């Protein structure tokens, strides 16, 4: 029924009790989940999860906030994405929240890394899983500059994907939609302080909406402050149902179909 489009089941808070989490997912009618890589090293862990469990898939990529890790080269991403059950590139993007006294100019490596991910996604026509924090202007600018045709004569697919765990303003959401991206909402949507975000969610068409947990982080109300789990994604769906004035079953249908449309390597919805 429900799909968690972004979680980190390889993180120790969850991997140590994976059997219980998978059981909780079944009880909550969360039929599928996408495990997101954040480094090239933990890609091996998420890929192992995807290969071991028939309701899990994974991505390959290096998070923009990961420093001191192996820098991804184009071939790393292309080779990783060539494996079975790898359905997207990321998570990738820009994060200027923790500059630690540096200027934006001094983290040019983030922008270079982002461009490598976009290049890989376009080469394989795979969706990008985009993380942006305090950096939406540059994130959108790089997507715009990279979204058209390649430098040679051969046309390449336009960049596509999802802005995950969306917390940005209305204008950023509109810009992402204009570029053809989906928008994914997490447990933050249920927080009392997230009234503005709920207005954004009301604006985003259900045909372009995904839901996620980003677990083990950002557990929704009524579990806020506790370790998150894919089994809690129905609470995000219920919040969206309240916002749109429809049933939670309708949200499940829309968001699950959207997940399969975007991450089409998973296969058609209903298979």
């Amino acid at each position: 029924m429900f799909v968690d489009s972004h979680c980190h089941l390889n993180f120790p808070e969850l991997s140590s009790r994976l059997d219980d989490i998978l059981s909780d997912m079944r009880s909550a009618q969360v039929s599928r989940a996408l495990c997101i890589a954040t480094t090239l090293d933990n890609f091996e862990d998420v890929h192992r999860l995807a290969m071991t469990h028939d309701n899990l898939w994974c991505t390959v990529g290096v998070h923009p906030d990961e420093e001191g890790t192996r820098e991804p080269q184009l071939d790393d991403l292309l080779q990783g994405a060539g494996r079975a059950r790898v359905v997207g590139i990321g998570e990738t993007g820009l994060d200027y929240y923790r500059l630690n006294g540096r200027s934006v100019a001094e983290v040019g490596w983030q922008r270079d890394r982002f461009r490598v991910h976009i290049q890989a996604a376009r080469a394989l026509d795979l969706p990008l899983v985009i993380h942006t924090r305090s950096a939406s202007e540059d994130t959108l600018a790089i997507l715009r500059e990279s979204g058209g045709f390649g430098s040679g004569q051969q046309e390449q697919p336009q960049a596509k994907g999802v802005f995950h765990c969306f917390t940005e303003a209305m204008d950023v959401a509109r810009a992402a939609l204009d570029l053809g991206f989906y928008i994914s909402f997490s447990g933050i949507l249920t927080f009392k302080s997230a009234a503005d975000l709920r207005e954004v969610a009301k604006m985003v068409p259900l045909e372009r909406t995904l839901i996620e947990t980003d677990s083990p982080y950002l557990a929704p109300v009524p579990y806020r402050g506790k370790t998150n789990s894919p089994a809690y994604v129905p609470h995000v769906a219920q919040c969206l149902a309240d916002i749109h004035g429809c049933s939670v079953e309708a949200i499940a249908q829309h968001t699950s179909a959207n997940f399969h449309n975007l991450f089409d390597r998973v296969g058609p919805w209903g298979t």
Side-chain angles (χ1 to χ4, degrees):
M1 185 173 180
F2 302 98
V3 176
D4 184 353
S5 67
H6 192 113
C7 63
H8 300 281
L9 295 184
N10 60 304
F11 284 17
E13 301 95 321
L14 301 180
S15 64
S16 61
R17 53 188 188 91
L18 185 61
D19 288 344
D20 289 340
I21 287 170
L22 293 172
S23 176
D24 291 343
M25 287 172 60
R26 288 190 293 271
S27 297
Q29 296 184 284
V30 181
S31 58
R32 297 179 177 187
L34 182 60
C35 300
I36 304 295
T38 57
T39 68
L40 291 178
D41 291 333
N42 71 31
F43 166 64
E44 297 298 334
D45 297 329
V46 297
H47 187 249
R48 190 176 304 112
L49 285 169
M51 293 298 292
T52 305
H53 302 280
D54 63 6
N55 63 333
L56 303 179
W57 285 261
C58 72
T59 65
V60 58
V62 179
H63 192 289
D65 209 23
E66 289 282 355
E67 294 191 59
T69 190
R70 182 157 59 101
E71 197 64 32
Q73 304 302 311
L74 179 59
D75 282 349
D76 295 322
L77 299 175
L78 296 179
Q79 290 175 18
R83 297 192 193 182
R85 302 186 73 80
V86 181
V87 299
I89 303 292
E91 63 186 283
T92 182
L94 301 175
D95 193 323
Y96 297 162
Y97 183 72
R98 297 185 186 88
L99 290 176
N100 297 322
R102 297 169 297 190
S103 68
V104 168
E106 291 175 302
V107 292
W109 56 269
Q110 279 198 21
R111 295 182 287 279
D112 293 340
R113 180 186 289 179
F114 187 21
R115 290 184 175 98
V116 170
H117 284 76
I118 294 171
Q119 188 178 358
R122 290 182 62 209
L124 298 172
D125 196 20
L126 283 177
L128 290 157
V129 177
I130 293 178
H131 168 110
T132 183
R133 191 177 188 191
S134 303
S136 57
E137 185 176 344
D138 281 359
T139 300
L140 291 166
I142 290 173
L143 286 170
R144 289 187 182 108
E145 79 178 30
S146 305
F149 298 111
S151 57
Q153 296 299 312
Q154 184 178 2
E155 295 181 0
Q156 291 184 332
Q158 186 172 351
K160 63 181 181 180
V162 57
F163 277 62
H164 105 91
C165 193
F166 195 85
T167 57
E168 301 292 335
M170 188 77 74
D171 62 327
V172 179
R174 292 188 189 280
L177 292 170
D178 287 345
L179 287 171
F181 283 77
Y182 289 75
I183 292 178
S184 181
F185 296 101
S186 71
I188 293 174
L189 194 68
T190 70
F191 295 177
K192 185 178 180 180
S193 59
D196 288 347
L197 184 61
R198 287 188 284 275
E199 286 300 311
V200 173
K202 188 175 182 179
M203 180 276 296
V204 175
L206 287 179
E207 293 75 16
R208 300 283 287 282
T209 300
L210 296 177
I211 53 175
E212 63 172 273
T213 60
D214 203 11
S215 50
Y217 310 117
L218 304 173
V221 174
Y223 301 101
R224 187 175 181 183
K226 299 181 180 180
T227 301
N228 204 358
S229 160
Y232 296 162
V233 80
H235 294 279
V236 182
Q238 183 61 63
C239 186
L240 274 172
D242 294 341
I243 289 167
H244 285 280
C246 64
S247 68
V248 71
E249 289 81 9
I251 297 296
Q253 177 64 35
H254 277 290
T255 57
S256 295
N258 293 343
F259 174 83
H260 285 261
N261 287 337
L262 179 60
F263 297 100
D264 53 11
R265 279 192 180 182
V266 174
W269 176 233
T271 60

